[in-house]
Amino acid sequence: MVRNIVILGGNSHPKLVESVCNSLGLPSCNRILTKFSSGESRCEIQDSVRGKDVYIIQTGFGGNGSKLNDHFMDLCIMISACKTGSARRVTAVLPLFPYSRQPDLPYKKAGAPLIQPPSENGRKDYTFDSVPATPAPGGPKSSGFPNPADITNKLIRTSLGNGSGPASPKANGKANGDAYLGGNGVNGTQEHQDRRGQTGNFTTHDYENLSIVNAFEARPGYKQWVAQAGTLVANLLTCAGADHVITMDLHDPQVQGFFDVPVDNLYGRPLLKQYIMQNIPNYKEAVIISPDAGGAKRATAIADSMGMDFALIHKERRPTRITDRQNASMMLVGNVADRVCILLDDIADTGNTITRAAKLLKKEGATKIYALLTHGVFSGDAISRIKASALDRVVVTNSVPQGEHKALLGSKLEVLDIAPIFAEAIRRVHHGESISVLFNFD
């Protein structure tokens, strides 16, 4: 039994909280965590946490009648309540870190995000790299005008037409307003308009001619701006009072850099490696498959440590014709004919990636296909997609509740318990011991 530790569980995964407490030999902290009729969260810590080391377990999964955002808000409120109750240290334990996939911006087969429609004179050699340098007196000449000239003088002469107001009469070395007058001293407005018509309206802020402003069009599928919630989530946890964060298999390890407090990213690979050795016959002859390039390092780490072959499924983004070696936009790099294939990935949300990868592997001659995943979210129509897929067995951890998924998939789904890993991490962090042993899977 460990002293001066308080295990506080949220509503997202009660079974995991119970398993961690059983491994540590501790009862869970009594608390009230409900909602008012208005939908606001109500949190009341019924046990004393003064001077204690508090660990709050709440996974990033929307279940048990609540949404993911509700669970995250409950976590922030529980952290704040413990800090208000004079807890010595508060650690947020998130087996599945919420919003960890947000940095994934979908790549499109389009190249540059903007294109220019063909001009009337047939010029098609414009690119963003050909934009002239920043204009400055004595700087490089601009090739965008009919006759190469100093762009500074051109901007001065057209300042009135662009609504910027009159410039200094001595801007180009002339006095008495001759900069805006013709050579014979008369008003040069007509000359300015003729010159402007020759050079073209190059200022996109002139909304009188919207055809110039709308000359550039976004290519299909281009996202002009996507919010990045990872930094916000990190700031919310630290501002609520979290002194430490423990999670498992971050989809993007760079998320650790968003925090100003220590973050321990545990690995689910020891469990997956143990499953391979104990449950797959002749596993040395099998092939470890990464369903995308992003998980190649994760898959090769296990393949190298176990002395197994490795193959990669490459997502071909270019608009090529589908051949025998391609399944829609996926292409296999490696040989899997007449061999057992083991797909390794960190998370399965909609299940589209692993099911399409399994279809390609079956087409290439794989005899049996396993999918080993750390986080089995299985949202949307993932369950029905997996049922109809070529996957023979799906192995996940209980970082998120798997009760409903197990009932729907039956024997096709196996669940590995991660409670001992988190219990040992909590014990070592509390006693100030190194947790690097939990990272080793050799």
Side-chain angles (χ1 to χ4, degrees):
M1 181 175 178
V2 185
R3 297 178 179 272
N4 294 326
I5 285 186
V6 174
I7 304 298
L8 184 61
N11 293 329
S12 62
H13 203 341
K15 290 185 178 180
L16 181 62
V17 176
E18 182 181 357
S19 298
V20 171
C21 289
N22 292 337
S23 298
L24 292 172
L26 293 172
S28 61
C29 178
N30 294 321
R31 88 296 189 268
I32 297 177
L33 186 61
T34 58
K35 290 187 179 298
F36 292 105
S37 58
S38 61
E40 297 179 355
S41 297
R42 176 199 177 193
C43 178
E44 180 181 341
I45 310 298
Q46 296 180 312
D47 292 339
S48 174
V49 296
R50 181 178 296 274
K52 300 293 184 65
D53 201 0
V54 182
Y55 295 84
I56 305 177
I57 302 176
Q58 183 88 304
T59 191
F61 176 77
N64 297 324
S66 298
K67 301 295 185 181
L68 186 151
N69 293 335
D70 294 334
H71 290 320
F72 182 76
M73 182 55 64
D74 290 345
L75 173 63
C76 293
I77 293 175
M78 286 189 290
I79 293 174
S80 178
C82 292
K83 296 297 286 188
T84 305
S86 300
R88 181 173 65 89
R89 181 175 59 180
V90 179
T91 301
V93 181
L94 297 141
L96 173 59
F97 192 86
Y99 292 91
S100 61
R101 298 180 66 194
Q102 292 291 323
D104 278 357
L105 298 183
Y107 292 94
K108 299 298 180 182
K109 60 186 178 182
L114 300 177
I115 60 173
Q116 182 182 23
S119 58
E120 295 181 359
N121 57 5
R123 182 186 178 190
K124 301 180 181 179
D125 58 346
Y126 178 88
T127 64
F128 284 99
D129 294 333
S130 65
V131 175
T134 303
K141 307 298 182 180
S142 173
S143 60
F145 297 101
N147 296 321
D150 191 343
I151 192 172
T152 306
N153 292 332
K154 294 293 183 182
L155 290 174
I156 293 175
R157 292 179 180 275
T158 56
S159 60
L160 283 177
N162 290 329
S164 58
S168 173
K170 299 181 181 181
N172 58 350
K174 295 183 180 182
N176 301 325
D178 288 343
Y180 306 108
L181 299 178
N184 54 359
V186 297
N187 194 309
T189 303
Q190 185 63 36
E191 178 186 355
H192 161 71
Q193 292 178 351
D194 294 342
R195 185 184 299 110
R196 183 182 179 189
Q198 295 175 0
T199 60
N201 185 359
F202 53 84
T203 303
T204 57
H205 297 286
D206 187 0
Y207 294 103
E208 295 179 359
N209 190 353
L210 294 179
S211 61
I212 302 298
V213 180
N214 298 326
F216 294 94
E217 298 179 358
R219 286 189 174 181
Y222 171 69
K223 292 188 176 182
Q224 295 184 355
W225 188 82
V226 178
Q228 303 294 317
T231 305
L232 175 62
V233 170
N235 291 337
L236 287 173
L237 289 174
T238 53
C239 289
D243 301 300
H244 191 190
V245 175
I246 301 176
T247 185
M248 174 173 279
D249 274 354
L250 283 170
H251 182 72
D252 193 349
Q254 283 80 1
V255 172
Q256 298 176 78
F258 296 161
F259 286 88
D260 295 327
V261 298
V263 179
D264 288 324
N265 182 26
L266 305 179
Y267 294 152
R269 284 176 276 187
L271 286 176
L272 302 181
K273 178 184 175 181
Q274 184 179 7
Y275 178 86
I276 292 174
M277 293 188 297
Q278 296 180 355
N279 297 275
I280 299 180
N282 299 323
Y283 68 90
K284 290 285 187 179
E285 303 298 325
V287 183
I288 300 291
I289 309 290
S290 176
D292 52 29
K297 290 184 178 180
R298 186 183 306 109
T300 53
I302 293 184
D304 293 341
S305 64
M306 302 181 68
M308 301 172 62
D309 291 337
F310 169 76
L312 172 69
I313 293 179
H314 171 59
K315 291 183 179 179
E316 183 64 43
R317 300 294 184 178
R318 293 172 295 178
T320 57
R321 301 178 61 181
I322 299 177
T323 63
D324 293 338
R325 296 287 296 178
Q326 292 181 344
N327 177 23
S329 62
M330 306 182 79
M331 182 171 57
L332 176 66
V333 181
N335 182 24
V336 298
D338 300 325
R339 304 179 73 177
V340 175
C341 294
I342 304 172
L343 283 165
L344 284 177
D345 207 352
D346 63 326
I347 186 171
D349 191 356
T350 60
N352 185 54
T353 299
I354 60 171
T355 53
R356 293 179 63 189
K359 180 180 179 181
L360 178 60
L361 294 175
K362 186 65 72 172
K363 182 187 296 184
E364 294 296 327
T367 58
K368 197 170 185 179
I369 303 174
Y370 293 83
L372 273 63
L373 314 164
T374 303
H375 308 296
V377 179
F378 300 143
S379 63
D381 57 349
I383 297 296
S384 58
R385 184 178 287 121
I386 291 175
K387 280 185 177 181
S389 69
L391 293 169
D392 296 292
R393 191 65 58 89
V394 179
V395 182
V396 298
T397 68
N398 61 341
S399 61
V400 300
Q402 298 293 341
E404 296 181 3
H405 304 157
K406 179 67 175 178
L408 294 173
L409 290 176
S411 60
K412 198 170 189 176
L413 178 68
E414 291 192 30
V415 182
L416 306 178
D417 188 16
I418 60 172
I421 296 179
F422 278 96
E424 181 64 15
I426 290 173
R427 188 193 68 80
R428 287 177 174 270
V429 169
H430 174 68
H431 290 291
E433 301 176 7
S434 173
I435 63 172
S436 59
V437 65
L438 301 178
F439 300 149
N440 298 329
F441 49 92
D442 293 332

